[in-house]
Amino acid sequence: MSFLSATGMTGGYGGSDILHDCTITVEKGEIAVVVGPNGAGKSTAMKAVFGMLNLREGSVVLDGKDITNLAPQERVPEGMGFVPQNRNVFVSMTVEENLDMGAFIRKDDKIEETKQQIFDLFPILGEKRNQPAGELSGGQRQQVAVGRALMTQPKLLMLDEPTAGVSPIVMDELFDKIVEVARTGVAILMVEQNARQALEIADHGFVLVQGRNRFTDTGEALLANEEVRRSFLGG
Amino acid sequence: MTKRVALLYGLMCLVLIAIGFLQSWNVAFGIFNLCVISAVMALGVNMQWGYAGLFNVGVMGFTALGGLTAVLVSMPPVGEAWAAAGGDIALSLLSLAGTIVAVIYARRIVPPVLKLPVTLVLLLAGYFLIGVFFGPATDAIESIDPALSGYLGGAGLPVLVAWPLAGLVAAGAGWLIGRIALGLRADYLAIATLGISEIIIAIIKYEEWLSRGVKNVTGIPRPVPYEVNLVESEWFINLANFFGASEISDAASLFVKLCYAVLFVIVLAIIMWFAERALKSPWGRMMRAIRDNRDAAAAMGKDVKRRHLQTFVLGCAVCGIAGAMLTTLDGQLTPTSYIPLRYTFLIWVMVILGGSGNNWGSILGGFIIWFLWVEAEPFGNWFMSTVTAPLGEESELAQHLVAGAAYMRYLMMGAILLTVMRFAPKGLIPEATNRSTAMTRSS
Amino acid sequence: MEILNALALFANFVVVPATAYGAQLALGALGVTLIFGILRFANFAHGELMSFGTMITILVTWFLQNMGVSIAPFPTALLALPIGVLAAISMALVTDRMVFRFYRKQRSNPIVFAIVSVGVMFLIAGIIRIVIGPADQSFADGQRFIIGAFDSRRALGLDEGIAIKQSQVITVVVTAIVVAWLFWFLQKTRSGKAMRAYSDDEDLALLSGINPERVVTICWVIAAALAAIAGTLYGLDKTYKPFIFLQILLPIFAATILGGIGQPVGAILGAFIVAFSEVTVTYAFKKFLAYLGPTDWAPEGLVQLLSTDYKFAVSFIILVAVLLIRPTGIIRGKVI
């Protein structure tokens, strides 16, 4: 069994189902990317993994523990870190306070150490540690958001379209950082609009269409797949 | 559904009839008349809250404006006051108009940076200019026979003319405040209306030249016969004898109450007819659509703020009419009697209890809550006396508690409001359409 | 000399009373803005909560006075205040558990919360009027003036003195201590930061593992404590009038919106602006101008912008100006 295995997820927000027997798995230290056309249920799938959606069927197992019935905030102590797409920083608080809030549930005394690691990973955050997060640029905010999530020392880091609305240069930089995070042994699950670039750094890719798994393979293989390229990567 | 309405209305009737038999018909109709006025106010608030989801915490102010209108329309003009200060009053009005024109004109021609300072300077200058004429005018007016008049008086028209006019005046005030506070956070409207109502009361309380202030205006001409005349007129004596009345003065006061009741019920019926027509018209459907999903309605190109303003103004007008009716019934304007708990928040309890968005519910809520409000006092006295009976008559605590018994009504209203909001948020007579989403929609 | 006299006059009748009044408003507005920020609704019961805390303080004060306990020259009410604070906190927590929590679980519309707070207002108003009655109560004892008008006249060598009441000094000192503590709490402590985070973004706060119920509890405790302190100081400075606490909501709300909803610094700023405007606008400048002008020169009228009867109109005008010009307030607050 994989480190995270969300299998057979079926459900929606009420009314009709959005996800149909959808399965997503991630291994430790690997990057899994969920791609697909608009309205394919990518973000919904990620929300389901994080417990923000009521599943009618299917289960979510993290590190051998069934967490299907836990509320989102109860999954954070279990080792899940989640970076929402919008509103992912406390705009009125400084960068450092944002990181402190990430460490809110931690009781150990290594918090300063983790904070230093994050400043090493994102040097700009160290420079702007006393500036309100609301005053930062879009790319810097994303770094704060990722940093905040990393402060919980998650075993699985989930990113909902981390590169939405940032320039291509910043996007490349962000992806580099994400790879770096993965190398430290954290499992990464990411939903992306920029499918090609995302698949380039992905160990595994999941192509969703209408809430169903359409293709599942390594990132490399998906990029090489003629049909995937034609249908989802624009040729 | 209709069965439920009929049943609840029937029960309310029975209770009033029981009061008639047990206490007296005078008491029953006294309560009934105020119930009808309360019902009109509740209809006004229901238009704002039930149709459009607007939280108006200034009902008291619009009611008081209606009352002031009744005074200004129906009281005889004080000739001396006009003679002494009419010119100054006219000059004050002229300066006011001049100031407004100057501000509007200046704002057009000065560069944007200077707009605010120029406006402020002109307003200040205008304020002092008005004061030059206005100060002596009010002094002159208030010094004329202060014990009896000391104000300008009214237009000397029949008081019934004041009822529709009161609606217009209150609508004007509602329009002003709505223009400012609608379209922003929902609670801004609440706070702004709270403010305007306090100011309206302050004006009525302290502008003696206008309303005699705390000296009260009494003896407002009635639209119905006076008891003293009735007891002397032959036809009435015959009528009373025909019904076998034992006491002619009781019969007269009952007859007066009946006349008011007929007038009030006519007004209630007219407003109700319009309210129901409006609710079922395309306009009403659109209002509810906006209330239930503002963003979706805005996305469909509905001018939400404009619609809200319309409903708000209509609701204020209805409250104003009710205010004029109330002052007519009382025959006097007593500014100190206007307190928000009684004139604003009590009306809210009526609407919530009756059923937000349902006009029939609002009327029923008006009846029930007014009835309880009146009967809470004797009930509170009885309750406190019973509870404190073991303490003995001499006990200070017992006397203190009995003295405070009248305030049991606040507790009761709070309890009713909280209970309904918690366990039956749709009220006694729920809105016919599906409102469940409206009450829990997130902002 | 004449200028100094004018300034002394102004200080005596405007600066000193407005400072004390502003401090009282600030404590109330801080509570309202915290509730706005954390629970996200306009709490119409806040005035009555102030009144309730004050009432308990008064009752305990009377009890202490009867027992012969005194901390002269300070007013006995200061000794009773902690009990009043505890009572207000209990009342706030009980109403939260019994009333507001239900709607929080439902994620109800802020307006529903506001209406429910009206119900709470009715309840507390009823309790207050049954327990202490609707009449005015005076409970200030101890020394009345710290600096009397006469003494200060002699000390300054002026015709005009600056009288400072003890209650005014107590108000300012207590407010300064409480506000300093509050900002330390919000900026430096874990719970304070959690409150700010929750006020900033509820969902993200949940993701960070912040317990919303705990934040809400702390918020009520602080708001109620501030309310009781504010009400007691106001009562000491003037007198305790049960009906005033519905009217005082208006300047408090005006201060909150002027400062920016959910912004503690803004609430304090707003409170002082409202207080100074109110006192300045209703002050008769006749004597003040007489000092500044040539000898024997005095303006005709009182030179009063607005009669004291209309002091609530000042808050309203400020409120309207804010809504028209900058609905977010001085320090950008929440506008939905």
Side-chain angles (χ1 to χ4, degrees):
Chain A
M1 183 172 255
S2 302
F3 181 67
L4 168 83
S5 44
T7 45
M9 296 188 294
T10 304
Y13 295 102
S16 54
D17 290 344
I18 298 172
L19 298 177
H20 306 274
D21 196 21
C22 175
T23 294
I24 288 169
T25 58
V26 195
E27 299 298 337
K28 252 187 167 156
E30 286 193 355
I31 299 175
V33 174
V34 182
V35 296
N38 279 335
K42 304 186 294 282
S43 287
T44 310
M46 175 162 294
K47 283 178 179 158
V49 171
F50 194 59
M52 292 160 84
L53 187 76
N54 288 330
L55 286 182
R56 284 198 302 113
E57 281 166 40
S59 66
V60 181
V61 178
L62 182 72
D63 201 5
K65 186 177 174 189
D66 190 333
I67 56 168
T68 315
N69 295 319
L70 293 188
Q73 59 266 34
E74 293 167 330
R75 298 185 191 210
V76 177
E78 295 297 328
M80 278 190 169
F82 182 62
V83 181
Q85 185 184 345
N86 302 312
R87 302 206 332 205
N88 50 22
V89 296
F90 297 111
V91 287
S92 68
M93 303 177 88
T94 65
V95 169
E96 189 163 6
E97 284 173 339
N98 264 280
L99 298 183
D100 288 341
M101 283 300 106
F104 193 80
I105 51 164
R106 282 175 60 181
K107 299 273 184 274
D108 58 281
D109 50 3
K110 301 242 171 67
I111 293 174
E112 283 306 315
E113 218 169 278
T114 318
K115 207 190 279 178
Q116 203 48 55
Q117 286 166 5
I118 287 166
F119 286 147
D120 291 342
L121 183 64
F122 302 114
I124 189 77
L125 300 191
E127 282 170 37
K128 306 207 164 185
R129 61 200 292 169
N130 291 322
Q131 212 166 317
E135 291 175 6
L136 303 182
S137 71
Q140 291 165 350
R141 275 196 203 201
Q142 291 295 353
Q143 297 182 18
V144 176
V146 174
R148 187 198 60 78
L150 287 174
M151 284 300 286
T152 59
Q153 293 190 307
K155 291 179 275 187
L156 169 71
L157 179 64
M158 297 193 285
L159 305 152
D160 193 353
E161 303 204 12
T163 65
V166 302
S167 69
I169 299 168
V170 176
M171 180 175 79
D172 286 344
E173 203 183 327
L174 264 174
F175 280 154
D176 287 347
K177 304 288 186 189
I178 290 166
V179 172
E180 257 182 77
V181 174
R183 287 214 186 100
T184 64
V186 175
I188 290 182
L189 174 61
M190 187 161 73
V191 166
E192 257 306 328
Q193 285 282 1
N194 299 306
R196 181 186 292 273
Q197 292 86 337
L199 286 174
E200 274 166 11
I201 63 162
D203 295 293
H204 283 93
F206 299 85
V207 181
L208 296 194
V209 176
Q210 289 179 341
R212 288 187 170 81
N213 292 80
R214 181 74 175 274
F215 299 96
T216 304
D217 212 327
T218 63
E220 229 171 308
L222 285 174
L223 281 171
N225 184 319
E226 191 58 32
E227 199 183 338
V228 172
R229 270 168 57 175
R230 201 175 52 241
S231 309
F232 306 109
L233 305 178
Chain B
M1 182 65 215
T2 40
K3 240 186 218 165
R4 186 188 170 91
V5 177
L7 180 73
L8 288 167
Y9 272 77
L11 276 176
M12 191 65 228
C13 279
L14 279 180
V15 170
L16 283 172
I17 291 170
I19 293 284
F21 278 114
L22 292 175
Q23 288 185 275
S24 82
W25 288 101
N26 254 316
V27 172
F29 273 97
I31 296 177
F32 176 82
N33 283 340
L34 280 164
C35 280
V36 177
I37 293 177
S38 303
V40 174
M41 289 186 198
L43 274 182
V45 172
N46 186 43
M47 284 179 193
Q48 297 172 338
W49 167 244
Y51 293 13
L54 303 174
F55 190 29
N56 175 4
V57 194
V59 183
M60 171 181 77
F62 300 105
T63 316
L65 263 187
L68 180 64
T69 313
V71 168
L72 295 184
V73 167
S74 68
M75 289 306 280
V78 179
E80 274 177 87
W82 280 105
D88 275 343
I89 289 283
L91 283 174
S92 315
L93 286 177
L94 212 61
S95 335
L96 177 67
T99 310
I100 293 172
V101 170
V103 167
I104 292 172
Y105 182 69
R107 284 180 70 92
R108 280 213 187 127
I109 55 166
V110 299
V113 204
L114 287 173
K115 260 190 183 166
L116 192 65
V118 167
T119 311
L120 287 179
V121 167
L122 280 176
L123 282 178
L124 205 63
Y127 186 82
F128 277 107
L129 182 69
I130 296 167
V132 168
F133 303 114
F134 195 59
T138 53
D139 288 344
I141 295 169
E142 285 166 16
S143 64
I144 293 169
D145 198 5
L148 286 176
S149 73
Y151 77 129
L152 278 174
L157 296 169
V159 71
L160 285 183
V161 177
W163 295 8
L165 269 182
L168 284 181
V169 172
W175 183 80
L176 265 181
I177 198 72
R179 277 290 305 249
I180 295 166
L182 286 170
L184 295 166
R185 271 181 76 113
D187 22 29
Y188 281 6
L189 178 72
I191 296 163
T193 47
L194 182 74
I196 193 83
S197 72
E198 288 292 346
I199 289 179
I200 291 173
I201 299 300
I203 289 176
I204 296 179
K205 240 187 226 173
Y206 301 116
E207 296 303 317
E208 294 191 357
W209 60 275
L210 182 70
S211 63
R212 291 200 83 216
V214 289
K215 291 190 286 184
N216 303 341
V217 175
T218 50
I220 295 171
R222 280 185 183 176
V224 299
Y226 285 83
E227 287 91 342
V228 276
N229 301 337
L230 278 177
V231 291
E232 285 167 8
S233 49
E234 204 173 320
W235 66 268
F236 183 73
I237 296 169
N238 292 337
L239 189 74
N241 286 336
F242 177 76
F243 280 102
S246 52
E247 192 74 49
I248 189 77
S249 60
D250 275 354
S253 91
L254 181 60
F255 182 77
V256 170
K257 287 198 172 78
L258 272 171
C259 293
Y260 274 122
V262 170
L263 277 177
F264 291 164
V265 168
I266 291 173
V267 175
L268 179 65
I270 294 172
I271 292 175
M272 181 65 182
W273 185 77
F274 275 112
E276 280 291 282
R277 288 269 309 204
L279 192 60
K280 287 180 178 132
S281 69
W283 179 85
R285 276 199 299 277
M286 182 174 60
M287 286 314 308
R288 277 175 294 168
I290 291 175
R291 178 196 67 198
D292 292 344
N293 197 337
R294 190 191 164 124
D295 295 336
M300 281 159 64
K302 309 286 183 213
D303 187 345
V304 174
K305 192 183 164 184
R306 212 180 124 84
R307 301 293 156 204
H308 276 173
L309 190 58
Q310 285 172 350
T311 342
F312 185 71
V313 166
L314 281 177
C316 290
V318 173
C319 290
I321 295 172
M325 288 159 64
L326 184 64
T327 305
T328 311
L329 177 68
D330 289 344
Q332 58 177 355
L333 182 67
T334 42
T336 44
S337 69
Y338 287 96
I339 54 169
L341 283 175
R342 150 76 180 87
Y343 281 94
T344 295
F345 296 113
L346 193 67
I347 314 301
W348 271 92
V349 182
M350 295 172 185
V351 174
I352 301 281
L353 172 71
S356 311
N358 189 311
N359 292 321
W360 293 104
S362 296
I363 294 181
L364 182 70
F367 269 75
I368 296 177
I369 292 299
W370 182 257
F371 178 79
L372 291 176
W373 182 257
V374 172
E375 294 294 323
E377 197 166 340
F379 173 77
N381 279 330
W382 169 82
F383 179 80
M384 280 297 185
S385 317
T386 316
V387 167
T388 56
L391 293 171
E393 294 262 319
E394 305 298 297
S395 153
E396 264 185 50
L397 180 66
Q399 283 171 0
H400 182 78
L401 285 176
V402 172
Y407 295 100
M408 287 283 285
R409 52 167 62 149
Y410 287 175
L411 286 184
M412 189 160 88
M413 291 307 141
I416 291 176
L417 182 59
L418 291 178
T419 313
V420 174
M421 285 298 283
R422 174 70 167 265
F423 299 106
K426 292 177 179 185
L428 287 176
I429 308 180
E431 188 181 357
T433 47
N434 178 16
R435 195 187 154 74
S436 57
T437 48
M439 292 302 287
T440 51
R441 76 209 140 159
S442 55
S443 62
Chain C
M1 207 46 147
E2 295 295 273
I3 291 178
L4 286 180
N5 268 324
L7 286 180
L9 189 72
F10 189 73
N12 191 29
F13 286 103
V14 176
V15 178
V16 171
T19 307
Y21 180 45
Q24 292 148 9
L25 281 188
L27 291 178
L30 275 171
V32 168
T33 218
L34 282 177
I35 293 174
F36 250 132
I38 302 289
L39 291 119
R40 302 175 205 287
F41 72 95
N43 184 15
F44 282 87
H46 201 75
E48 296 304 327
L49 191 60
M50 288 168 76
S51 183
F52 181 77
T54 315
M55 178 186 76
I56 299 294
T57 308
I58 293 175
L59 294 179
V60 175
T61 305
W62 286 344
F63 174 75
L64 290 175
Q65 284 168 344
N66 275 340
M67 300 285 286
V69 180
S70 157
I71 47 168
F74 299 109
T76 319
L78 282 189
L79 207 58
L81 184 55
I83 313 277
V85 167
L86 282 181
I89 290 174
S90 321
M91 176 57 88
L93 290 181
V94 167
T95 48
D96 184 67
R97 291 294 175 274
M98 310 264 296
V99 180
F100 294 113
R101 183 153 70 173
F102 173 78
Y103 301 95
R104 205 155 53 237
K105 293 256 151 64
Q106 306 255 309
R107 290 190 157 241
S108 296
N109 186 337
I111 290 296
V112 172
F113 275 95
I115 292 177
V116 169
S117 79
V118 167
V120 173
M121 182 184 80
F122 260 116
L123 280 183
I124 305 182
I127 293 173
I128 289 168
R129 281 156 183 77
I130 290 174
V131 173
I132 204 166
D136 298 4
Q137 309 288 349
S138 182
F139 62 104
D141 53 5
Q143 194 184 333
R144 188 155 160 70
F145 284 98
I146 285 196
I147 304 171
F150 183 75
D151 293 339
S152 66
R153 235 175 299 175
R154 215 174 35 191
L156 293 169
L158 294 171
D159 296 337
E160 294 298 330
I162 305 174
I164 296 178
K165 283 196 280 180
Q166 192 199 38
S167 59
Q168 291 167 331
V169 175
I170 291 177
T171 296
V172 172
V173 170
V174 169
T175 306
I177 294 171
V178 168
V179 167
W181 176 84
L182 180 65
F183 282 101
W184 170 81
F185 175 80
L186 287 176
Q187 292 298 326
K188 299 293 175 203
T189 65
R190 209 171 110 90
S191 300
K193 283 182 192 172
M195 275 181 79
R196 281 165 53 217
Y198 187 85
S199 163
D200 190 322
D201 193 320
E202 201 177 325
D203 295 330
L204 198 57
L206 280 177
L207 290 187
S208 307
I210 293 169
N211 179 357
E213 284 305 308
R214 206 179 116 81
V215 169
V216 166
T217 304
I218 297 175
C219 172
W220 277 117
V221 168
I222 294 177
L226 295 177
I229 296 172
T232 303
L233 293 176
Y234 188 83
L236 271 181
D237 198 17
K238 288 148 188 151
T239 44
Y240 170 77
K241 296 180 171 125
F243 76 88
I244 206 86
F245 288 96
L246 191 56
Q247 290 184 334
I248 208 173
L249 272 184
L250 191 59
I252 286 180
F253 276 135
T256 308
I257 293 176
L258 172 62
I261 283 181
Q263 301 286 2
V265 182
I268 295 173
L269 216 58
F272 279 101
I273 293 175
V274 168
F276 270 86
S277 322
E278 211 173 271
V279 178
T280 311
V281 168
T282 53
Y283 173 64
F285 280 90
K286 179 183 170 121
K287 214 173 166 193
F288 178 78
L289 291 176
Y291 274 121
L292 292 183
T295 333
D296 294 332
W297 176 88
E300 276 280 315
L302 288 169
V303 202
Q304 185 181 19
L305 277 171
L306 208 60
S307 139
T308 4
D309 304 329
Y310 292 112
K311 57 180 188 205
F312 287 108
V314 178
S315 332
F316 180 74
I317 292 166
I318 291 176
L319 185 71
V320 166
V322 177
L323 295 190
L324 286 176
I325 297 166
R326 194 180 161 93
T328 48
I330 299 174
I331 298 176
R332 204 164 280 282
K334 295 179 172 48
V335 167
I336 302 164

